[in-house]
Each structure stands twice: as structure tokens, then as C-alpha cells.
């Protein structure tokens, strides 16, 4: 099973399976470097440069978060990354972008092999991102929000000089609330629209999504980033959905009240991030479109991938420097 949802049972709203492998890679066994957390009640693995491989895919918004955070923090030399191709079958993401279709570090054709190396009877979806232990070639965790959290707090000794503070203490409480709303109403909200099992479920999802999008438009009118004048984890989490909005979610998921390009603050904000090192270079619009329009056969049975929109618009001036 891949991590992509299938069409929701008729008459029901879409619900995402969020049951992930909860092991963590931490700086000290049994504890978290995050002052909000302290002791940890799940199995922990030690931070070791070169030991782990981040299995990801540029097509996937959840994996795209981890790719961006790895870039922002400068972890490329201590955490290798393997990229799966944009399309997959019902069983697994595959490493078809690599020569011979095999990940050069893990020696796997399919990410499923890393999950089965941990549990031969692994029963859930084969998801990206996933942290894989290179010595055993087994998945450590696929808990995507925890992965980016730990890349910041637990891998700090290996961050590049001048790496951004993605979890600033002075706005932490509010940021947690913002991220929660962004996830439920926007990141997952577009899927709730696209995979609704009835007209009523779709309408409810659509209304919730656009209530949140209007809230974000207002919030970003007079501040450069979600939490003020500096980029945080909250911006990473929102950006991966915005980058896919006009190319995929507007039409494919029927989130079509208007385009992102028609919302001045959100569109300027999205371009601002896209043009920031660590963001735009992680976006591959051809892979993104291929993933959604080819894999989601229930929604797009023809498999035709749209030619547009023109990605050059992402490089146009945004004029948001004046906000801080």
C-alpha cells in the first residue's frame, strides 16, 4: 500500500491515516533536546552522521517538508537522501530515478523493502518521508512531522553556521496553534476536498479550506512570514501545499474558488519563499503533476497530465521585503 489515499467510500468524508512508526532519532537516548518535551517514551536511535538515509520524493508534499528542512539546516553532508520517482503502484514508492532503478546506498528498488526489513508483515501504507538505518537497511520512522522537528532539535550539532531558528521559543505556543490549523484545514484540507465521498462532504471540506485560506491571506497581509519577520517550521509546512495549489489542487482536487495567483498576500508570500534558498530548488512541477494526475486514477482515469501552468511565474517580483 502506498501513502496515497484511495477514493473515499461514497457518502463519507475523507479521513487520513496518521498512524506512523513513532521511533525517533535523538541526540541523547530516551530524551529530547526540545525543552518542551524532555523524556521520550518511544524507542530512540542515536544521531550519527552518515548512519541514516532520508527516503523522500519531490512529488510528495509531506516529504517535501523534510527535503526543505534538510536544505535549510545544511544537513546534506551528514544525512544522505534517496529520492523516489513521482509515480508508484499500489504497493510502494520506487527508486526509478536512479540508474537501474536501484537506490545506490540501500540497494533497494522499492521503499517497501526497507519497511519489510523492519517488519516483514508491515501492515500500513509505505510512506515518504522515511528515515532508514543504513547498516540494517530498515525504516526507523516515517512520522513526517516528528522527522522535521527532530532534524532541528536533535541534529543541532551538525547544523550549518547561520541556520535559521525554525522553532523560536518566543512564538512557540502560537506557532503550534498555527501549524495545527494549517495541517487540518489546508495541508489536509485540499485532500479532504479531492477525496470527498459525497457532494455534502465535498462542500463542507471546500468551505473549511477557503475559510482557512482567507484567514491566511489576512494574516500575511501585514507580516512577511506566518510568525513575523523570520522563516519558521510553520512556513515550511504551508509552503509545500501552496506550491502545488494551482498546478494540482485547484483543478484536480476541485479547490477552485480561485487560484493562488489571485490572492495577493498568499501569492506574494509563496513566491518569496520559493525564491529563498532551500525552497524553490526542491520543487519539481513536472514530478508533482505526474504524481497526482497519474497515480490518482479514481479522480483522473485518463492519466492525462496538464501542460500548465507556466512555472516561470514563480520567479516574478513579490515586493515583500518591505514587510521585514
Amino acid at each position: 500500500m502506498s501513502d496515497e489515499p484511495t477514493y473515499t467510500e461514497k457518502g463519507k468524508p475523507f479521513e487520513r491515516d496518521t498512524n506512523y512508526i513513532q521511533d525517533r532519532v535523538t541526540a541523547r537516548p530516551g530524551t529530547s533536546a526540545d525543552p518542551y518535551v524532555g523524556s521520550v517514551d518511544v524507542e530512540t536511535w542515536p544521531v550519527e552522521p552518515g548512519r541514516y538515509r532520508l527516503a523522500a520524493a519531490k512529488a510528495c508534499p509531506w516529504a517535501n517538508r523534510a527535503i526543505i528542512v534538510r536544505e535549510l539546516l545544511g544537513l546534506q553532508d551528514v544525512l544522505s537522501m534517496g529520492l523516489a520517482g513521482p509515480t508508484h503502484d499500489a504497493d510502494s514508492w520506487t527508486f526509478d530515478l536512479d540508474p537501474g532503478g536501484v537506490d545506490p546506498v540501500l540497494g533497494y528498488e522499492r521503499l517497501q523493502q526497507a519497511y519489510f526489513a523492519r517488519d516483514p508483515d508491515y501492515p500500513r501504507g509505505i510512506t515518504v518521508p522515511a528515515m532508514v538505518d543504513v547498516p540494517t537497511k530498515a525504516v526507523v520512522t516515517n512520522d513526517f512531522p516528528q522527522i522535521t522537528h527532530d532534524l532541528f532539535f536533535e541534529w543541532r550539532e551538525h547544523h550549518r553556521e547561520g541556520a535559521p531558528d525554525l522553532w523560536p521559543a518566543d512564538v512557540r505556543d502560537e506557532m503550534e496553534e498555527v501549524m495545527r490549523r494549517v495541517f487540518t484545514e489546508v495541508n489536509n484540507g485540499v485532500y479532504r476536498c479531492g477525496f470527498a465521498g459525497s457532494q455534502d462532504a465535498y462542500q463542507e471540506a471546500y468551505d473549511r479550506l477557503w475559510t482557512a485560506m482567507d484567514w491566511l491571506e489576512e494574516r500575511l497581509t501585514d507580516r512577511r512570514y506566518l510568525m513575523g519577520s523570520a522563516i519558521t517550521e510553520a512556513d515550511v509546512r504551508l509552503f509545500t501545499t501552496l506550491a502545488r495549489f494551482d498546478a494540482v489542487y485547484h483543478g484536480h482536487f476541485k479547490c477552485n474558488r480561485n487560484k493562488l495567483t489571485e490572492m495577493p498576500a498568499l501569492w506574494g508570500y509563496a513566491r518569496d519563499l520559493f525564491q529563498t534558498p532551500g525552497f524553490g530548488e526542491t520543487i519539481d512541477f513536472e514530478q508533482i503533476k505526474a504524481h497526482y494526475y497519474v497515480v490518482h486514477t479514481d479522480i483522473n482515469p485518463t492519466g492525462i497530465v496538464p501542460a500548465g501552468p507556466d512555472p516561470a511565474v514563480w520567479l516574478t517580483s513579490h515586493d515583500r521585503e518591505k514587510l521585514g
Side-chain angles (χ1 to χ4, degrees):
M1 298 176 292
S2 77
D3 61 327
E4 281 301 309
T6 55
Y7 196 73
T8 308
E9 184 180 342
K10 187 173 179 60
K12 294 186 177 181
F14 167 71
E15 294 185 11
R16 179 173 296 280
D17 180 1
T18 57
N19 189 350
Y20 300 105
I21 301 170
Q22 295 184 328
D23 288 11
R24 293 176 57 187
V25 179
T26 64
R28 295 180 300 277
T31 65
S32 173
D34 181 354
Y36 273 61
V37 178
S39 62
V40 175
D41 60 359
V42 299
E43 183 175 351
T44 58
W45 301 59
V47 169
E48 293 181 14
R51 176 170 177 176
Y52 305 99
R53 188 158 176 81
L54 177 65
K58 286 188 174 182
C60 171
W62 319 106
N64 197 173
R65 295 181 179 186
I67 297 172
I68 291 170
V69 169
R70 176 177 173 269
E71 291 285 328
L72 292 176
L73 300 179
L75 294 173
Q76 298 92 325
D77 291 338
V78 296
L79 176 63
S80 69
M81 182 169 67
L83 292 175
T87 60
H88 55 70
D89 57 27
D91 292 325
S92 177
W93 294 84
T94 57
F95 295 106
D96 51 283
L97 300 178
D98 292 306
V102 176
D103 180 272
V105 172
L106 301 175
Y108 289 152
E109 295 179 349
R110 311 173 71 82
L111 182 57
Q112 184 183 55
Q113 293 169 267
Y115 280 78
F116 287 171
R118 177 189 174 101
D119 178 0
D121 299 315
Y122 185 74
R124 312 193 78 83
I126 306 302
T127 67
V128 288
M131 292 283 277
V132 181
D133 178 44
V134 173
T136 62
K137 299 183 180 181
V139 166
V140 173
T141 179
N142 63 340
D143 189 342
F144 67 89
Q146 194 66 59
I147 287 173
T148 54
H149 170 279
D150 287 345
L151 289 179
F152 177 75
F153 284 103
E154 308 301 330
W155 292 73
R156 270 186 160 174
E157 181 182 346
H158 307 287
H159 290 183
R160 66 174 175 84
E161 184 177 355
D165 182 0
L166 297 179
W167 293 78
D170 60 335
V171 296
R172 175 73 180 267
D173 290 338
E174 183 188 5
M175 190 176 88
E176 295 275 14
E177 294 177 5
V178 169
M179 291 192 301
R180 190 176 304 112
R181 187 172 183 184
V182 166
F183 172 73
T184 60
E185 306 304 298
V186 181
N187 299 146
N188 200 42
V190 293
Y191 282 84
R192 197 181 294 113
C193 289
F195 288 94
S198 70
Q199 187 68 43
D200 288 344
Y202 163 74
Q203 189 64 54
E204 180 183 359
Y206 178 94
D207 291 343
R208 285 178 60 179
L209 169 66
W210 286 106
T211 295
M213 291 289 279
D214 288 339
W215 161 68
L216 289 166
E217 175 73 8
E218 181 178 0
R219 183 178 182 91
L220 290 164
T221 296
D222 58 0
R223 66 179 80 195
R224 188 169 183 181
Y225 305 113
L226 281 174
M227 303 312 302
S229 60
I231 291 170
T232 66
E233 171 90 8
D235 299 298
V236 176
R237 295 185 179 194
L238 176 57
F239 172 77
T240 59
T241 295
L242 298 184
R244 289 158 175 77
F245 200 89
D246 286 2
V248 176
Y249 303 142
H250 177 271
H252 185 62
F253 279 176
K254 306 178 184 68
C255 302
N256 61 350
R257 191 193 74 179
N258 52 258
K259 296 178 182 177
L260 178 65
T261 55
E262 296 167 345
M263 304 187 77
L266 268 172
W267 175 226
Y269 163 82
R271 280 176 293 158
D272 189 2
L273 290 176
F274 185 90
Q275 294 168 32
T276 298
F279 285 86
E281 63 266 35
T282 73
I283 300 298
D284 187 317
F285 288 108
E286 293 308 310
Q287 287 195 37
I288 288 168
K289 290 189 295 183
H291 173 67
Y292 287 92
Y293 287 101
V294 173
V295 172
H296 296 164
T297 55
D298 287 338
I299 297 177
N300 187 40
T302 66
I304 294 172
V305 178
D310 184 353
V313 296
W314 284 89
L315 298 177
T316 57
S317 176
H318 53 77
D319 195 33
R320 288 188 58 87
E321 297 91 345
K322 63 186 180 183
L323 295 177

